[in-house]
Amino acid sequence: MQVLVTDPIADAGLDVLREAGHEVRTGYDLEGDALLEAAADANALIVRSGTEVTREVLEAGDELVIVGRAGIGVDNIDIEAATDRGVIVANAPEGNVRAAAEHTVAMTFAAARSIPQAHGRLKAGEWAKGDFLGTELNGRTLGVVGLGRVGQEVAKKLDPLGMDIVAFDPYIAEERADRLGATLVDLETCLETADVLTIHTPLTPETEGLIGESELESLAGGYLINVGRGGIVDEAALAAAVDDGTLAGAALDVFAEEPLSADSPLLDVEDIVLTPHLGASTEAAQTNVATSTAEQVVAALANEPVANALNAPSIDEAAFGRLAPYVELAETAGTVASQLLDGRIERVEVTYEGELADEDVEFVTASALEGVFSPLEWQVNAVNAPQIADDRGVEVVESKTHQTEDFQSLLSVTVSNGTTDRTVDGTLFAGDDQRIVRIDDYRVDAIPHGKMVVTRNADEPGVIGLIGSVMGDHDVNIAGMFNAREAIGGEALTVYNVDSEVPNAARTDLEADDRIIDVRYLTLST
């Protein structure tokens, strides 16, 4: 498949893609119409911060399966548009964590000890020993805004220096903060308490401009360090606060607009240390993010779950082997249930029984929804299926129980139009051999594959023979048959695997017999 790389990544990542059999095209200067043209036949797109992946780019990329961001920040990618089109967006959050944390620590020391300023003066011929009086970090308080992966790593590195740690992060559990030796507080308390404030939150509408003039006043006498994302700190207010002595100093590696403009007020303040977005600029980090992103692209193109998908459920690597067969089974059960139901789908319930109930099944449920909606001719996959359900007002219910009658694990998909339900139960035999074991109240043992016919009929002699004869009259070969009935003389349900499409005329001939209650022709992707 075609992988388009529009920002430079380490060769190790390109090697991963080529070794998986994919064709890699690089275009580091693409923009405008040239980018749209290049994206048109790409199955995957890999970017860093230099490429804006807009809705227009995503619409041009009809074949796109995934956009991989070789790094953490994805504010240059229209995730909503990607989700609408069923395109996975994935990043590499672990690859540069250590590098970003180490740069944060370096910037903290640089600001607290005026290292760049002293170096510059000495290189200029001045022995300015008496002009710099540094701040020791021992016994001081570190305030962390955003206690995610990088924030946690920074806390781990500065805690042994004797710093007390407070943190503002409304999304982290108090227990996790306690293990890091950090006290969770609100933003105002974090600012007022901190001697050094370090920022590690993503740039979102909620965090844009989070640290402004009043917040900087609350940090009076302290240092502000930002190796996270630009746009979170009001740069003009920061320059003024350091220049007038409200803050002791600051160090920034990221900016609202990059490259930093020559007229930025930050450049005029001696006690502000600036670096040109070097947080992830280590050889190890570049290799890590490149290979991590490439591995996720390879997984997506192989129709496997993606570990760091931002707009789709994912499966933990350790659980992938156990859950992967159920992903396909869930899609199959959803497809069968959907094609058995008449009318608009109003509700979907996915139930997990037995050992499967102990697993994280978010991706499995999304795959069931993909199966439910796929016969309706929407452009759907596990990425956008939950959004499709929400957009169309379809209620989705997920339930679990450890109780199951006959199987170690059982997966059930029920679809409803408000008055009628159709339920399909599936399980796995011998590892990953899919079976449909119940349709509504009928116990079957059907192999879901290719083209299928499901009939409901009176349980009377000669009916199965009639069905076989009609199929034969229309040149449809029956490859397999699985029969179930309510009771002797009641109703029966039979699942047929067939080798070719069943024409409408065959169905009409069958339904003309009073003993035939219902005939459904189903098609599966497997």
Side-chain angles (χ1 to χ4, degrees):
M1 291 192 176
Q2 300 281 332
V3 181
L4 175 64
V5 183
T6 58
D7 294 311
I9 65 171
D11 289 342
L14 302 179
D15 291 342
V16 168
L17 296 166
R18 293 186 178 113
E19 288 168 5
H22 300 301
E23 181 180 340
V24 178
R25 292 184 289 122
T26 59
Y28 300 149
D29 298 317
L30 293 174
E31 57 183 25
D33 290 341
L35 176 58
L36 300 181
E37 183 178 348
D41 61 349
N43 303 107
L45 173 62
I46 294 179
V47 303
R48 299 197 67 192
S49 59
T51 301
E52 290 290 327
V53 185
T54 63
R55 182 175 291 273
E56 189 178 15
V57 172
L58 291 160
E59 290 176 349
D62 284 337
E63 304 299 321
L64 277 177
V65 174
I66 182 171
V67 175
R69 166 65 162 95
I72 296 179
V74 290
D75 41 290
N76 58 316
I77 301 172
D78 189 333
I79 296 180
E80 181 179 350
T83 303
D84 289 343
R85 299 191 61 79
V87 177
I88 299 169
V89 177
N91 65 350
E94 301 288 353
N96 57 12
V97 166
R98 184 173 293 107
E102 289 184 359
H103 196 65
T104 300
V105 173
M107 294 286 269
T108 300
F109 276 108
R113 299 304 298 267
S114 302
I115 293 171
Q117 298 92 326
H119 169 80
R121 297 273 289 276
L122 186 59
K123 292 281 284 187
E126 295 183 60
W127 186 261
K129 180 177 180 180
D131 291 350
F132 298 103
L133 186 65
T135 298
E136 293 185 13
L137 300 181
N138 179 59
R140 302 286 182 169
T141 298
L142 174 70
V144 182
V145 176
L147 202 57
R149 294 178 177 90
V150 179
Q152 291 180 27
E153 191 69 19
V154 170
K156 290 176 186 177
K157 294 182 182 303
L158 291 178
D159 179 65
L161 296 180
M163 298 193 79
D164 298 323
I165 301 172
V166 296
F168 168 68
D169 191 326
Y171 303 107
I172 193 169
E174 190 168 343
E175 178 184 356
R176 177 60 177 161
D178 288 343
R179 289 203 299 269
L180 294 165
T183 302
L184 287 179
V185 296
D186 58 32
L187 179 59
E188 183 64 22
T189 303
C190 187
L191 290 162
E192 291 176 348
T193 307
D195 297 298
V196 176
L197 187 81
T198 181
I199 298 170
H200 304 287
T201 185
L203 179 64
T204 67
E206 291 75 24
T207 63
E208 186 172 9
L210 181 67
I211 307 298
E213 183 177 354
S214 62
E215 287 77 20
L216 295 170
E217 289 176 358
S218 297
L219 186 63
Y223 296 88
L224 184 141
I225 315 296
N226 188 9
V227 185
R229 303 299 296 174
I232 295 171
V233 178
D234 183 328
E235 294 171 3
L238 176 64
V242 176
D243 190 46
D244 67 17
T246 300
L247 296 188
L252 282 75
D253 183 53
V254 291
F255 309 94
E257 294 184 7
E258 297 182 1
L260 187 64
S261 65
D263 60 354
S264 170
L266 297 170
L267 295 168
D268 298 326
V269 183
E270 184 180 15
D271 290 328
I272 297 180
V273 178
L274 306 173
T275 54
H277 206 144
L278 301 179
S281 295
T282 68
E283 184 175 350
Q286 294 306 300
T287 298
N288 290 341
V289 297
T291 56
S292 174
T293 304
E295 287 165 358
Q296 293 183 84
V297 167
V298 170
L301 295 181
N303 200 30
E304 296 176 355
V306 175
N308 295 312
L310 300 176
N311 61 338
S314 60
I315 296 178
D316 183 82
E317 186 175 353
F320 177 74
R322 299 191 303 272
L323 286 179
Y326 287 102
V327 171
E328 186 176 341
L329 177 63
E331 181 182 350
T332 298
T335 302
V336 173
S338 177
Q339 293 182 83
L340 292 176
L341 184 73
D342 290 321
R344 181 186 182 279
I345 295 173
E346 295 186 5
R347 187 175 189 271
V348 179
E349 181 173 3
V350 187
T351 302
Y352 302 92
E353 299 181 9
E355 294 179 359
L356 191 56
D358 291 325
E359 302 285 358
D360 181 354
V361 292
E362 184 183 14
F363 191 89
V364 183
T365 298
S367 297
L369 293 175
E370 176 184 355
V372 167
F373 294 129
S374 59
L376 307 180
E377 299 183 1
W378 292 326
Q379 183 182 12
V380 59
N381 57 21
V383 177
N384 60 8
Q387 185 63 47
I388 286 173
D390 185 62
D391 290 345
R392 288 159 177 77
V394 177
E395 180 185 7
V396 179
V397 177
E398 180 184 293
S399 59
K400 294 181 177 182
T401 175
H402 290 93
Q403 302 299 318
T404 183
E405 294 181 5
D406 302 310
F407 307 98
Q408 282 186 317
S409 291
L410 188 73
L411 181 152
S412 176
V413 179
T414 299
V415 295
S416 174
N417 61 14
T419 58
T420 303
D421 294 348
R422 288 286 179 261
T423 300
V424 176
D425 293 355
T427 192
L428 301 175
F429 288 177
D432 58 359
D433 187 11
Q434 292 185 40
R435 287 289 195 278
I436 298 297
V437 295
R438 190 181 299 276
I439 296 177
D440 294 333
D441 294 325
Y442 297 94
R443 177 69 180 268
V444 296
D445 182 14
I447 299 173
H449 179 77
K451 301 172 178 63
M452 302 170 65
V453 176
V454 178
T455 65
R456 285 195 301 123
N457 53 269
D459 183 33
E460 297 178 9
V463 176
I464 291 178
L466 166 71
I467 294 171
S469 296
V470 171
M471 292 295 185
D473 291 342
H474 291 275
D475 295 323
V476 177
N477 186 56
I478 296 175
M481 183 183 76
F482 311 91
N483 182 257
R485 63 184 180 183
E486 293 178 326
I488 296 175
E491 289 186 7
L493 180 143
T494 307
V495 179
Y496 300 89
N497 291 113
V498 295
D499 291 336
S500 60
E501 183 177 350
V502 178
N504 289 331
R507 283 173 269 173
T508 299
D509 289 350
L510 289 172
E511 290 168 346
D513 192 292
D514 291 341
R515 295 170 296 176
I516 304 297
I517 300 167
D518 188 45
V519 180
R520 298 297 173 112
Y521 172 61
L522 316 179
T523 56
L524 302 177
S525 59
T526 55

